Amino acid sequence: MKINTITWTLSRLCISPSHTLSILSRWTSLIIPVSTASKIFTHNFHTAKSLAHRDGTVQEIQNEKIRKRRELAVFYELSELRKAKDKDTYRKALEIYMKKQSVYRRGHVDFILGAIEQMKEYQVHKDVEAYKALMRIFPEGELLPKSIIQSEFMHYPRQQNTAIDILSAMGNNGCIPDDEIGNIIVSRFGENSYVMKKYQRIMYWGPKFRNMNPYPVPWILPQTKLELAVMALKRMAVDKNNVVKVYDTNDLSSTISDGFIASACSPTQQELMRKHNSELPLYVEGGFTVWMREESLVYFILRADPHPDIVEYNQKCEEDEDDISSGFYTYLGADDEEKRKKSLIVKPSVHEQPEGTILAMCITETSNKDSLVDWINFLQVENSCLSKVPILFSLKTPESGLQSTNEDEKPREELNPGES
């Protein structure tokens, strides 16, 4: 018998390395030295161990997929029967499983893991009652530890890890458990279980983080994209006098796009448009991504180059406010009058930033160049001064860098006044 075959057989029998080495040394002492047998054993033992672990892991994953598919058959049957995947179908599937496995609860771990994966598809991932129903699937009283030692060594680890996965899914989807879920955990796993520790951490930190945002986003978002766009513009606008207007492209005679255009502009920004030098261009930049919970929107801005006074103002703000040696001038003396006038700078508005002056923002239904041209035309109707200003388009997608809207166009294109 070869040494490789002997090593493979002993390793598969889970015999310890020291015993395997002693057996090999007895069998091979008359043939090869012990040191050589030790080297051969070390290589073959670890190779056999890694291959056995790999084969076992692959087989275990395949078996778990098969078990999940078998346990989730009730979901597939109900969805085909009802022709809908909603909250009622999900709840009915759980009830059918509980009636079928009311005593032994066979395969409840695989069923729960598969049900967690189906929650978003059935639109119950934000429903606390759905998580309670999953917790009630665990058999009551059967998983309780009998001593503190069993609690410390994670009594029924697979079931506890599954319950922790339920709580983790709640946290990932923005749901905070209530006292009823805590009572269910105590009746299933006990007060000293790892599931209870996870529940206590969520109950301590969850409410703190949930109420930390001073500008909270509604948990139930509007169904239409127009209402969502208006909500996003109101959140992004820092000026309290900001006005959000919704334009319909059908109201414009020279329209070249379809859909709505939501535009945000304040009286202060309109005043900045009138003060803008008509020889300097304005830029339409975007798209930038804004998130409203799970929904993402693309918005664009109308920007002007930063004013030189803004740069000087920011430099003065960075200086030491307590140092008055360079910034304090009296009204006495003609020599200091020129310095005093230069030291006085009007504080810029919130729209005038070092990167540029934001004159307007918009979210369009199609987010393409044609809708932005219509947006500029609407702004020109309300602000006639824009018709004399050259406007350059610098468009890009949120996922990539600067790119042209058409293959034959350059990244920046000038829009002549009066053209659409």
Side-chain angles (χ1 to χ4, degrees):
M1 184 180 294
K2 296 182 180 181
I3 296 178
N4 293 343
T5 306
I6 297 173
T7 307
W8 175 266
T9 304
L10 295 178
S11 62
R12 298 291 282 186
L13 293 175
C14 299
I15 299 177
S16 62
S18 58
H19 292 170
T20 305
L21 182 60
S22 63
I23 293 173
L24 284 175
S25 62
R26 293 173 188 173
W27 290 355
T28 59
S29 57
L30 300 177
I31 305 174
I32 57 176
V34 178
S35 58
T36 307
S38 176
K39 293 179 181 180
I40 297 174
F41 158 72
T42 303
H43 171 74
N44 290 296
F45 181 81
H46 290 291
T47 303
K49 186 177 179 181
S50 61
L51 291 175
H53 177 71
R54 184 191 64 184
D55 297 340
T57 303
V58 173
Q59 187 65 29
E60 184 178 353
I61 293 175
Q62 293 177 352
N63 294 337
E64 185 176 356
K65 290 181 179 180
I66 295 174
R67 290 195 302 268
K68 284 184 181 180
R69 194 180 303 113
R70 182 176 62 249
E71 297 297 339
L72 292 178
V74 61
F75 283 95
Y76 306 140
E77 294 174 359
L78 275 179
S79 59
E80 292 179 359
L81 182 62
R82 295 187 171 217
K83 304 297 182 181
K85 294 184 178 181
D86 52 8
K87 180 179 178 180
D88 295 335
T89 306
Y90 191 88
R91 178 181 54 81
K92 188 65 176 177
L94 298 184
E95 292 178 357
I96 292 175
Y97 176 83
M98 291 292 288
K99 290 180 181 179
K100 186 184 297 184
Q101 301 290 342
S102 59
V103 179
Y104 298 106
R105 307 286 171 86
R106 292 188 179 94
H108 66 277
V109 171
D110 298 317
F111 178 80
I112 292 173
L113 292 175
I116 293 175
E117 297 177 357
Q118 299 289 325
M119 296 190 81
K120 286 189 177 181
E121 190 173 355
Y122 285 82
Q123 299 178 1
V124 294
H125 57 287
K126 293 185 178 296
D127 187 10
V128 181
E129 296 298 328
Y131 295 101
K132 292 180 184 179
L134 291 178
M135 281 291 187
R136 293 191 186 97
I137 295 178
F138 292 106
E140 185 175 0
E142 298 294 333
L143 309 177
L144 292 173
K146 300 297 189 295
S147 63
I148 190 65
I149 297 178
Q150 288 184 345
S151 299
E152 289 297 327
F153 281 92
M154 202 173 191
H155 196 49
Y156 287 98
R158 194 156 185 258
Q159 282 76 5
Q160 289 203 47
N161 286 328
T162 304
I164 291 174
D165 291 341
I166 296 176
L167 296 177
S168 299
M170 294 186 69
N172 295 335
N173 295 316
C175 295
I176 296 180
D178 54 9
D179 295 337
E180 186 177 355
I181 292 183
N183 296 332
I184 296 174
I185 293 174
V186 172
S187 63
R188 265 69 176 179
F189 301 100
E191 295 183 355
N192 298 321
S193 62
Y194 285 86
V195 185
M196 193 63 186
K197 293 178 181 178
K198 175 72 173 180
Y199 167 78
Q200 290 172 345
R201 294 189 185 102
I202 294 177
M203 292 300 291
Y204 180 80
W205 290 108
K208 295 179 183 297
F209 290 129
R210 181 169 185 168
N211 302 317
M212 184 177 292
N213 189 358
Y215 307 100
V217 181
W219 290 101
I220 301 177
L221 296 176
Q223 297 297 327
T224 62
K225 188 177 179 181
L226 174 59
E227 296 178 349
L228 199 62
V230 173
M231 182 184 297
L233 290 175
K234 288 181 178 179
R235 286 183 59 83
M236 289 188 292
V238 294
D239 195 342
K240 294 183 179 180
N241 297 323
N242 182 75
V243 179
V244 178
K245 294 183 179 180
V246 179
Y247 302 113
D248 188 1
T249 54
N250 297 325
D251 299 337
L252 195 65
S253 59
S254 59
T255 180
I256 57 176
S257 65
D258 296 327
F260 69 86
I261 298 175
S263 176
C265 186
S266 65
T268 305
Q269 290 173 310
Q270 291 180 340
E271 183 65 23
L272 292 173
M273 292 181 189
R274 288 189 288 268
K275 293 181 179 179
H276 181 75
N277 188 356
S278 59
E279 296 181 357
L280 299 178
L282 298 178
Y283 305 97
V284 177
E285 296 183 346
F288 308 104
T289 303
V290 57
W291 286 89
M292 302 293 288
R293 298 208 178 276
E294 295 86 3
E295 300 291 335
S296 64
L297 298 172
V298 179
Y299 70 96
F300 302 86
I301 63 172
L302 179 63
R303 180 187 65 84
D305 289 328
H307 198 274
D309 292 343
I310 306 300
V311 179
E312 186 178 356
Y313 177 83
N314 292 326
Q315 292 177 353
K316 287 185 175 295
C317 291
E318 294 176 358
E319 297 177 355
D320 188 5
E321 296 181 355
D322 297 330
D323 185 11
I324 62 174
S325 59
S326 60
F328 179 73
Y329 301 98
T330 62
Y331 288 90
L332 301 177
D335 295 337
D336 294 334
E337 185 68 20
E338 186 72 19
K339 297 180 181 179
R340 184 184 65 82
K341 291 182 179 180
K342 290 184 178 180
S343 65
L344 297 178
I345 301 176
V346 179
K347 183 179 180 180
S349 62
V350 293
H351 308 289
E352 300 174 271
Q353 301 295 326
E355 297 81 8
T357 303
I358 309 300
L359 300 178
M361 292 187 301
C362 81
I363 296 178
T364 65
E365 186 173 1
T366 57
S367 299
N368 55 14
K369 180 194 169 185
D370 294 338
S371 61
L372 297 177
V373 173
D374 289 338
W375 175 50
I376 296 299
N377 291 334
F378 278 114
L379 291 179
Q380 288 177 348
V381 172
E382 298 179 353
N383 307 274
S384 58
C385 56
L386 292 180
S387 60
K388 303 177 182 178
V389 181
I391 299 177
L392 303 179
F393 284 76
S394 178
L395 305 179
K396 64 180 181 180
T397 59
E399 295 83 8
S400 62
L402 190 67
Q403 66 177 19
S404 60
T405 55
N406 294 324
E407 295 181 357
D408 299 333
E409 291 178 348
K410 296 181 180 179
R412 293 193 174 207
E413 178 187 352
E414 183 174 351
L415 176 66
N416 296 327
E419 293 185 359
S420 57

